[in-house]
Amino acid sequence: MFSNVSQYKGLNAQSTDNEEEDYPPQFTTLTHETEKSKWSHIDDLDEFFARVYHYHQNHGMPSLILTEFLNLFQILFLAFFSVFMLECVDYNVLFQSQQVISDKKNNSFVEKRSIHDVIFPLNQCVNNIDFKIWFSLVIVFIFWIFRLIKAIYNIARYAEIRSFYISALNIHTNDLPNITWNEVLEKLLQMQKKHHICIHKQDLTELDIYNRILRFRNYLVAMVNQGVLPPKMNVPIFGQLVLLTTGFKYNFEFLFFWGPFAPFQNCYQLRPEYKVYSKRTELTNELSKSILILGILNLILSPVIFIWQLLQFLYNYTDLIKRDPSVLGSRRWSNYGRLYFRHFNELDHELDARLSRAYRPAMNYLNSFVSKFLAVLAKFFVLTCGTIFAVLVLLTIYDEDVINIEHLLTIISVTGAIAGVARSLIPDENFVFFMDQMMFQVLAHVHYMPDSWKEHSNSYVVRDEFVKLFQYKFVYLLEELFSPIITPFILIFWLRPRAVNLVDFLRNFTVDVVGVGDVCSFAQMDTKRHGNPRWLSKTNTKKSNQAKNGKTELSLIHFVHTNPKWKLPAESLAFIDQLKDQAIKEASIIEQSISKSSIDPKATESIIEQNMEQSLNKSIYHLQSLVYNPNLPSNLLKSSTNSQPHYDYHVQNIGQMPRGGVSRIEGPLFTNKQQTLFSIAQASTLQLSSQGLPIMPGPNITTALENSLDMCFSALYIHELHRKYHHGDYIDLDNVKEENDEETDGDNLFEMNQKRPLLQSGSKRGQYSQNIESESDDDATHNLTMTNYDNNTYLTNNRGIGLKLSHDQNQSTFNSNSLNL
């Protein structure tokens, strides 16, 4: 039978002389009374679940097999085509440096050439190849053999996954495009009860499977959240650069997760010595040596890798840039941005869906920063280069012999490219600039953003910081092109001195989860251990253990949305209930205020203005910009209390689901699970109608689109609560110290709140009450109680001092010197 064990055990990070006490207990293999099936006791569940996920996302074997073989063909094609262009082409004939054919009868030269005239014979071509090229071909061939073996192995494993889908999950290949990952996940959980694919645990949970698929990815997300990554360097003229290239990321993962000298001895277990504090110095020296060796190897191979990167760049993007030069002026989410915005336990298709929805708002936000100088200069280049391009094209159309003029085609290509890039820099004359609203549109989808960004979105400082997350395509291409050259220096001179920090991170933030193995402790989304009081978590943990930017809290909310059937732990359930209670409380206050306005019509306008200071109402206003015109600010949408705008949400947003799109939906397609916060806002009909906002339908069955909208609202709402917490609306001023807080990007909380008056607490308590722990570095925290009395909400501590929960915009001040990004 199954033994009773705790959910997870943290690793001891303290110094001790008894090293045996530092090691966590090992896995206990459970004995099952059921008959062992073909799928019982799978050795490497991490790889198995990862392949199950990738098999589903790629819609089965055909695309996987085609991808493997085309990758093999691509390697050979690039290698041999490059050699062919270097050694087998007679460029003297190609460029007409010498005459080709002589007509002796007429004593004239024939200008027409054929392809055979510019290509050497095969034997001459082979003789032209020198030793360096032969050596390079041998290296490419050896690499290709390894890729071939890996491709055959992958195909064999995916054939096993195909059999698993058909026989165990009863899902055929043709059904994969129209089945969500959530459905596959439910079948995996049911299969565990029947076949026991994991023998260390009786029942698997959604979190267990996510932790196995994203074990190492969660470490990367946590390192970015805690400031361990990415590499940041100050470069003259360019300022601070974030150098998280794909090459560096690959080397980092090889070094820490799956390389021969990695801290992880296998896919699920950290090496025991990394869990011992007394081994800290020894492991630091070992890791520093490994980083140095890897950096030297990268330096030696950098010329070969750079040439390979250059060839891929030329073959992949030359035609695209020629046809559409403006593609260089488009943007993409950087590698740093994808890790910064990624939740703990968020799969690739879930992240891609969020960032795809945020792409257009992010572009609108950055396009709103108009440089008149740059616009005038761009118009000049469009006029001059566009004129030259148009004239040469017209002359070529009139007489095709014009194209034979030397370098004419080059001039056409260059002038067309310059005109295309310059045209992308000219702002749209019909664009409406509302930066604050655009920033909240981005926040609704990306879910993470410092408070200083939201409050000063029109600042170029904020814009420059956001560009690091949402970079130009040509910047990305340049980074990847020169990555082989800069990666060795980053490894040796940036990463190697931080080896001790990496060792400490692995020891302090690794937990042993029963049935899963060693995972990043942040991936458990434990608000008690890694939560932050400024994000409504009830925790006494130190700041060094708190996730920044509300990462734990928002990751938990997102995981609940994408996995509504997941049974939350007690601490997580308490946090979700607390968030709901806060929303219900605000909705109740708003409804009571509006009911009073019906008695006193003269006070209606002032009451509506006060209600807009409620976090619930502000979040609805920000969400409205996603429902209506994304370029129209919500405060311009006015209507009377007797008329409501008709909006058919389902018709305008759902539309026709493309084939294969179902497999990439976040969470279930339909669910009976009650929404987290948006349903509370929907229930407050009087509040919505009084502000002229659309009343969304609240069906018993929630669709994936409504669930996504609910997540947007939840992110906006918790950010709004944090903003009030940040500005002192929910903070006991006696517990705020005169020091900068890392969480708030350098804003001095004491300066922001010292002018707010303190009110005595009321003698009665209202219907809703809630205990909040103030954020303090020491353990002697003071309990704060939120009290609803006489339509006002107060915050009181155990010394009888209270703070009214209201936000006076006239008292809100901002110290420009305190902005530190």
Side-chain angles (χ1 to χ4, degrees):
M1 299 303 292
F2 300 101
S3 59
N4 295 326
V5 291
S6 59
Q7 181 65 21
Y8 66 85
K9 301 177 177 65
L11 303 180
N12 191 351
Q14 304 299 325
S15 177
T16 176
D17 294 333
N18 188 359
E19 296 183 3
E20 295 181 357
E21 295 179 359
D22 285 330
Y23 291 94
Q26 299 297 319
F27 278 144
T28 301
T29 302
L30 306 179
T31 304
H32 301 280
E33 297 178 353
T34 58
E35 183 180 357
K36 183 177 180 180
S37 68
K38 178 182 178 180
W39 309 110
S40 298
H41 188 193
I42 296 177
D43 294 331
D44 191 348
L45 277 176
D46 283 33
E47 183 190 23
F48 181 79
F49 286 140
R51 290 187 182 275
V52 168
Y53 171 72
H54 290 297
Y55 186 90
H56 170 261
Q57 290 297 301
N58 288 278
H59 302 167
M61 285 286 291
S63 60
L64 291 170
I65 294 177
L66 183 63
T67 301
E68 293 290 346
F69 279 104
L70 289 182
N71 287 337
L72 291 172
F73 176 78
Q74 178 181 347
I75 296 174
L76 292 179
F77 174 78
L78 292 179
F80 286 101
F81 184 74
S82 300
V83 173
F84 172 80
M85 294 301 297
L86 288 174
E87 302 296 343
C88 300
V89 177
D90 190 349
Y91 288 98
N92 291 325
V93 176
L94 181 65
F95 296 144
Q96 291 186 346
S97 298
Q98 64 185 27
Q99 305 300 338
V100 184
I101 301 174
S102 176
D103 189 352
K104 297 182 178 179
K105 294 182 179 180
N106 299 325
N107 295 323
S108 60
F109 295 101
V110 180
E111 297 289 338
K112 188 175 181 180
R113 294 161 296 167
S114 66
I115 192 171
H116 300 288
D117 298 323
V118 297
I119 297 178
F120 292 125
L122 180 61
N123 56 348
Q124 184 179 354
C125 179
V126 173
N127 293 332
N128 290 339
I129 300 177
D130 58 10
F131 174 76
K132 294 180 180 179
I133 295 181
W134 280 117
F135 180 74
S136 300
L137 287 176
V138 170
I139 295 179
V140 171
F141 182 73
I142 294 174
F143 174 73
W144 187 84
I145 292 296
F146 279 108
R147 288 296 300 268
L148 177 63
I149 296 174
K150 182 180 179 181
I152 295 174
Y153 172 78
N154 288 336
I155 293 174
R157 294 307 304 268
Y158 279 117
E160 182 183 359
I161 298 299
R162 177 181 180 275
S163 175
F164 173 77
Y165 264 90
I166 296 175
S167 61
L169 301 183
N170 195 25
I171 300 176
H172 294 275
T173 303
N174 294 334
D175 299 329
L176 288 174
N178 300 314
I179 293 181
T180 64
W181 166 249
N182 192 267
E183 296 178 65
V184 177
L185 190 62
E186 289 183 5
K187 291 180 178 292
L188 285 174
L189 299 178
Q190 295 172 1
M191 185 190 169
Q192 165 65 14
K193 300 177 181 179
K194 180 179 179 181
H195 296 279
H196 302 294
I197 54 180
C198 177
I199 65 171
H200 301 291
K201 197 173 184 180
Q202 180 178 5
D203 294 324
L204 290 176
T205 66
E206 293 88 344
L207 185 60
D208 293 338
I209 296 178
Y210 272 71
N211 273 335
R212 283 189 175 274
I213 297 176
L214 300 169
R215 186 190 304 272
F216 299 144
R217 189 59 54 84
N218 283 328
Y219 273 102
L220 291 177
V221 175
M223 288 179 181
V224 170
N225 181 258
Q226 294 298 301
V228 179
L229 292 177
K232 296 181 180 180
M233 296 184 179
N234 292 319
V235 180
I237 301 177
F238 296 100
Q240 187 183 69
L241 298 181
V242 178
L243 301 176
L244 188 59
T245 62
T246 303
F248 171 79
K249 185 169 169 285
Y250 178 85
N251 279 275
F252 188 88
E253 293 176 353
F254 174 82
L255 184 66
F256 282 88
F257 300 137
W258 50 271
F261 304 105
F264 281 82
Q265 62 184 11
N266 50 47
C267 64
Y268 62 87
Q269 193 172 19
L270 192 67
R271 285 163 51 188
E273 55 266 29
Y274 271 86
K275 305 172 184 178
V276 183
Y277 181 84
S278 58
K279 299 283 187 179
R280 180 172 182 257
T281 304
E282 178 182 345
L283 292 173
T284 300
N285 295 333
E286 177 185 338
L287 183 60
S288 178
K289 182 179 179 181
S290 300
I291 295 174
L292 179 60
I293 295 174
L294 185 63
I296 295 175
L297 288 177
N298 273 268
L299 189 61
I300 295 174
L301 297 176
S302 59
V304 178
I305 301 175
F306 174 76
I307 293 175
W308 181 260
Q309 292 281 76
L310 181 61
L311 291 177
Q312 284 194 321
F313 170 79
L314 292 176
Y315 296 151
N316 289 332
Y317 293 101
T318 301
D319 179 66
L320 179 62
I321 295 174
K322 180 181 180 298
R323 287 187 290 106
D324 185 14
S326 62
V327 70
L328 296 175
S330 62
R331 292 185 180 271
R332 68 179 299 277
W333 299 104
S334 65
N335 294 336
Y336 172 43
R338 293 182 65 85
L339 289 176
Y340 179 85
F341 291 131
R342 190 165 194 153
H343 293 292
F344 295 121
N345 301 306
E346 184 176 24
L347 294 171
D348 291 339
H349 77 282
E350 298 169 352
L351 175 67
D352 292 338
R354 282 200 304 115
L355 296 185
S356 296
R357 292 194 298 267
Y359 183 87
R360 181 53 55 190
M363 284 294 294
N364 291 337
Y365 169 72
L366 291 178
N367 290 339
S368 63
F369 287 88
V370 178
S371 173
K372 193 65 177 178
F373 175 83
L374 188 61
V376 172
L377 190 63
K379 289 181 180 179
F380 170 78
F381 279 106
V382 169
L383 176 63
T384 55
C385 295
T387 302
I388 298 174
F389 175 81
V391 170
L392 293 180
V393 169
L394 291 175
L395 291 176
T396 304
I397 295 174
Y398 177 75
D399 188 353
E400 62 181 10
D401 291 335
V402 176
I403 203 69
N404 294 325
I405 298 176
E406 188 177 13
H407 300 312
L408 182 68
L409 186 60
T410 302
I411 297 174
I412 294 177
S413 301
V414 172
T415 54
I418 295 176
V421 173
R423 190 174 290 108
S424 65
L425 299 177
I426 301 175
D428 186 359
E429 295 179 356
N430 300 317
F431 192 78
V432 182
F433 303 101
F434 294 102
M435 297 183 184
D436 292 338
Q437 196 62 44
M438 294 175 188
M439 180 61 78
F440 277 102
Q441 291 177 22
V442 177
L443 177 62
H445 295 300
V446 301
H447 301 165
Y448 296 103
M449 199 167 290
D451 288 327
S452 56
W453 288 20
K454 294 174 286 186
E455 297 169 0
H456 306 281
S457 56
N458 59 344
S459 169
Y460 270 90
V461 179
V462 175
R463 185 255 183 201
D464 293 340
E465 290 296 315
F466 186 69
V467 164
K468 296 177 182 177
L469 305 172
F470 194 52
Q471 61 184 177
Y472 278 116
K473 189 66 173 288
F474 77 87
V475 175
Y476 165 75
L477 294 177
L478 289 177
E479 287 181 353
E480 295 303 315
L481 181 61
F482 292 100
S483 175
I485 298 176
I486 63 177
T487 295
F489 298 98
I490 297 176
L491 291 172
I492 297 174
F493 299 106
W494 187 89
L495 187 64
R496 186 165 171 254
R498 291 165 174 79
V500 62
N501 298 334
L502 297 168
V503 171
D504 289 339
F505 184 91
L506 292 176
R507 184 183 66 255
N508 293 327
F509 298 117
T510 298
V511 292
D512 180 16
V513 180
V514 174
V516 180
D518 292 335
V519 299
C520 181
S521 59
F522 289 99
Q524 294 300 301
M525 300 176 296
D526 188 350
T527 56
K528 185 176 181 180
R529 177 172 182 176
H530 293 302
N532 192 323
R534 296 180 182 273
W535 293 87
L536 303 183
S537 291
K538 294 183 177 181
T539 176
N540 291 325
T541 186
K542 296 181 180 180
K543 282 187 177 181
S544 58
N545 292 331
Q546 296 173 359
K548 299 179 180 179
N549 298 323
K551 197 77 167 184
T552 302
E553 293 79 6
L554 286 166
S555 296
L556 175 62
I557 296 174
H558 179 265
F559 195 80
V560 171
H561 277 82
T562 53
N563 299 275
K565 294 185 179 180
W566 177 53
K567 295 181 179 179
L568 282 76
E571 296 82 4
S572 302
L573 183 61
F575 170 77
I576 297 295
D577 290 341
Q578 178 187 2
L579 197 60
K580 290 182 179 179
D581 291 342
Q582 180 66 27
I584 293 173
K585 183 186 302 182
E586 291 195 21
S588 176
I589 295 174
I590 294 171
E591 291 179 359
Q592 291 176 11
S593 301
I594 295 177
S595 62
K596 280 191 174 184
S597 67
S598 61
I599 301 175
D600 186 7
K602 296 181 180 180
T604 301
E605 185 175 354
S606 61
I607 289 177
I608 292 178
E609 184 177 352
Q610 293 176 4
N611 288 339
M612 286 307 300
E613 292 301 320
Q614 296 292 336
S615 300
L616 192 71
N617 233 342
K618 283 192 172 183
S619 302
I620 295 174
Y621 260 86
H622 295 316
L623 185 68
Q624 186 186 21
S625 63
L626 300 178
V627 178
Y628 283 112
N629 186 352
N631 293 330
L632 188 63
S634 58
N635 56 8
L636 296 181
L637 296 174
K638 300 291 185 179
S639 63
S640 62
T641 58
N642 296 326
S643 63
Q644 299 175 8
H646 176 71
Y647 184 77
D648 191 349
Y649 180 74
H650 296 277
V651 173
Q652 296 192 23
N653 285 275
I654 293 181
Q656 297 294 327
M657 180 65 66
R659 176 174 174 81
V662 176
S663 63
R664 289 171 175 81
I665 286 179
E666 303 168 90
L669 188 59
F670 300 100
T671 178
N672 293 322
K673 184 73 173 180
Q674 185 70 16
Q675 295 173 335
T676 306
L677 293 177
F678 195 53
S679 57
I680 299 175
Q682 290 174 329
S684 184
T685 305
L686 185 60
Q687 166 210 354
L688 293 172
S689 62
S690 66
Q691 303 300 331
L693 299 175
I695 301 177
M696 301 296 179
N700 294 328
I701 298 180
T702 304
T703 65
L705 189 60
E706 292 166 337
N707 196 36
S708 176
L709 188 65
D710 184 31
M711 182 63 217
C712 293
F713 177 78
S714 301
L716 290 171
Y717 181 64
I718 194 172
H719 269 274
E720 181 61 27
L721 291 178
H722 171 68
R723 186 193 67 81
K724 287 193 172 184
Y725 212 164
H726 171 65
H727 282 290
D729 290 359
Y730 297 135
I731 300 178
D732 182 6
L733 299 187
D734 291 342
N735 292 329
V736 178
K737 297 182 179 180
E738 294 188 51
E739 60 182 10
N740 290 337
D741 181 67
E742 296 178 358
E743 167 72 21
T744 55
D745 294 346
D747 293 335
N748 194 313
L749 296 176
F750 182 83
E751 293 179 358
M752 289 187 174
N753 298 298
Q754 59 184 349
K755 296 182 180 181
R756 298 185 181 274
L758 291 177
L759 303 177
Q760 293 184 354
S761 59
S763 58
K764 296 182 180 180
R765 293 191 179 185
Q767 181 179 359
Y768 304 98
S769 63
Q770 174 181 349
N771 292 328
I772 303 178
E773 294 177 349
S774 62
E775 184 181 20
S776 178
D777 290 338
D778 53 74
D779 296 332
T781 56
H782 303 284
N783 292 329
L784 305 179
T785 303
M786 190 178 295
T787 307
N788 189 7
Y789 177 69
D790 289 341
N791 297 320
N792 289 323
T793 306
Y794 298 89
L795 192 72
T796 60
N797 63 3
N798 55 4
R799 290 172 293 181
I801 301 178
L803 173 65
K804 185 176 180 180
L805 298 186
S806 62
H807 179 64
D808 190 354
Q809 293 182 350
N810 295 329
Q811 293 178 355
S812 298
T813 59
F814 173 72
N815 185 0
S816 61
N817 295 327
S818 65
L819 182 61
N820 183 14
L821 296 177

